[in-house]
Amino acid sequence: MTASLPGYAEAAALIADRAAWIAERNPRSEQIGLSAALARVLAEPVRADRDMPAFPRSTRDGFACRAAEAASHALLAVAGSIRAGDPLARPLPRGAAWEIMTGAAVPQGADAVVMLEHVEHQEGSIRLAAGRSLSAGDNIVPAAAEARAGDELIPAGTRIGPAHIAAAAACGYPSVRVFARPRVAILTTGDELVPVDSTPGPGQIRNSNAAMLAALVAQAGGDPWILPVARDEAPQIESALRPTLDAELLLISGGVSAGKFDLVEPALAQLHAHFHFTGVRIQPGKPLVYCEIPRKDAPVLPAFGLPGNPISSAATFLLFAQVILAALAGSREKTPRFDAAIAARDVKGKSDLTRFVPATTSFADGHTQVEPVGSQGSGDLAAFARADCFVMIPEGLDRLSAGSPVSILRF
């Protein structure tokens, strides 16, 4: 039966195709202040409003001069001084130098800046110190060397970081247009779940999945919407699904295995969902479901049935649901971002499944090293809290040896 399920690569390719289709729906956008734009996804490119720099700029404190004159080690009269922010100085006379500060505009006629510590001073004049050399262009950033007016500096679809904030500010953007955060409905199912602030009774557990999924959604740029827990009864689950049709993405935690009380798939079928897969050859997360629910006067609703075990829910969200969420958010990142690492010790694999093992990373001997955390299974939150990534062991490998290159998926 496992062999009939799609493997990880096949399921990931399908999700990537669906994400590309979803991205064509032109997600909603809004204008927000630059100070609130961190981690949002840019909906319109940021362009240079003028040449960058707008004038030849000195990169050092020193003296602006003609390189050929300075390189002869002749005395150059200091004709004036210019600081960052001062108006452009008058053209540089022959046989002279301008004292200049870092960031200041280089006067016309100068083609180099000699560093302050590379000159000798003599009664209002300077000369290049013995043993020092200078060439045209040294310590100057030419006008428009970084960008021309109108150039695209940050493309649409970029998740905005501090460097993007700085570039937008330099181009005179007090606000930017970003994609609206997709609303993500989070529905947890199970008779055993109680609120986080309750004391569990016999056989009960606190609803950690809702809190975890909400955090993952927010981290990925979505707007989490936590719904009340649905009990393991078909009418309850069907009723709980109705309001989720107002969301842009639906995450259902639990109820997707093959047990007597796994009622999510039938409830989704009642909504005429089109199922793309109902299981993937991975561990954890094998029972994962992905479908799309048709809606009147609205695009289809992408929906994931995530396994109820917390580590399974986290892994399948990061591997699959986050890709769809990125598309809804307008991001250019349509695949999970794997990093390279080296296995610090042997890791057990599975011949018929791709494994994703909670692990922790460190840096040693010039490489990122990764080591699985000791775990008691997909419900071991104590172990999961010590991890910072999943290490991937490809299908068909019974064991990954210490020292082997591996792929890791960070949280």
Side-chain angles (χ1 to χ4, degrees):
M1 189 170 180
T2 296
S4 66
L5 301 178
Y8 169 65
E10 183 183 352
L14 186 149
I15 291 295
D17 285 345
R18 299 312 298 162
W21 179 82
I22 287 168
E24 295 173 359
R25 291 163 43 186
N26 297 320
R28 296 176 293 113
S29 65
E30 59 187 351
Q31 195 81 15
I32 64 170
L34 189 61
S35 62
L38 185 65
R40 299 297 295 272
V41 177
L42 199 61
E44 293 178 352
V46 168
R47 298 183 182 277
D49 67 328
R50 60 178 185 162
D51 290 348
M52 298 178 68
F55 49 82
R57 185 181 69 228
S58 175
T59 64
R60 296 285 190 273
D61 290 343
F63 294 88
C65 59
R66 293 178 176 85
E69 292 179 346
S72 71
H73 298 277
L75 280 172
L76 301 175
V78 177
S81 178
I82 184 170
R83 301 174 301 175
D86 284 348
L88 290 173
R90 66 180 185 273
L92 180 69
R94 289 284 176 183
W98 275 94
E99 184 179 24
I100 194 166
M101 310 306 166
T102 299
V106 176
Q108 182 182 345
D111 62 7
V113 171
V114 58
M115 294 169 61
L116 185 64
E117 53 268 39
H118 290 178
V119 301
E120 298 170 349
H121 296 265
Q122 184 177 329
E123 297 178 357
S125 298
I126 58 102
R127 77 165 86 230
L128 186 66
R132 299 291 185 180
S133 62
L134 190 68
S135 300
D138 284 357
N139 304 316
I140 293 176
V141 177
E146 299 164 354
R148 295 266 182 199
D151 283 354
E152 181 179 283
L153 301 188
I154 314 172
T158 300
R159 189 171 297 280
I160 299 170
H164 305 124
I165 297 282
C171 294
Y173 281 77
S175 65
V176 289
R177 180 155 290 277
V178 298
F179 289 109
R181 294 183 187 273
R183 194 180 195 199
V184 181
I186 300 169
L187 175 63
T188 48
T189 69
D191 292 339
E192 74 279 15
L193 300 178
V194 298
V196 172
D197 57 356
S198 297
T199 300
Q204 295 181 325
I205 58 172
R206 294 186 176 96
N207 186 7
S208 60
N209 274 8
M212 177 187 69
L213 289 171
L216 286 167
V217 165
Q219 181 176 268
D223 177 20
W225 171 28
I226 298 177
L227 295 160
V229 172
R231 301 302 168 193
D232 290 326
E233 299 173 6
Q236 271 229 24
I237 293 175
E238 291 170 13
S239 176
L241 285 176
R242 290 191 196 105
T244 69
L245 297 178
D246 292 331
E248 291 168 88
L249 175 63
L250 169 60
L251 305 177
I252 308 167
S253 173
V256 292
S257 294
K260 179 179 178 181
F261 297 104
D262 293 319
L263 305 170
V264 166
E265 284 183 52
L268 290 168
Q270 289 292 319
L271 296 174
H272 307 289
H274 172 69
F275 290 89
H276 288 278
F277 54 73
T278 56
V280 183
R281 295 199 310 271
I282 59 174
Q283 185 190 56
K286 182 180 170 184
L288 175 70
V289 170
Y290 176 64
C291 65
E292 291 167 355
I293 303 170
R295 296 183 286 187
K296 289 183 178 179
D297 304 319
V300 297
L301 173 64
F304 286 90
L306 309 176
N309 281 325
I311 298 176
S312 299
S313 275
T316 48
F317 175 88
L318 292 167
L319 291 166
F320 300 103
Q322 185 171 244
V323 177
I324 297 295
L325 178 53
L328 289 165
S331 174
R332 294 177 299 159
E333 296 181 5
K334 302 298 191 300
T335 57
R337 184 182 293 178
F338 285 94
D339 292 331
I342 300 295
R345 62 177 175 83
D346 290 358
V347 189
K348 185 179 178 182
K350 283 263 190 179
S351 61
D352 60 344
L353 299 170
T354 299
R355 292 195 73 204
F356 294 92
V357 181
T360 183
T361 56
S362 59
F363 192 79
D365 301 324
H367 298 284
T368 299
Q369 308 270 353
V370 62
E371 182 172 0
V373 297
S375 175
Q376 300 302 312
S378 296
D380 189 347
L381 283 174
F384 194 44
R386 298 193 298 272
D388 59 16
C389 69
F390 286 103
V391 58
M392 183 173 75
I393 301 94
E395 183 176 340
L397 282 183
D398 291 326
R399 182 171 298 278
L400 196 67
S401 301
S404 300
V406 295
S407 295
I408 60 172
L409 178 64
R410 294 191 183 273
F411 302 159

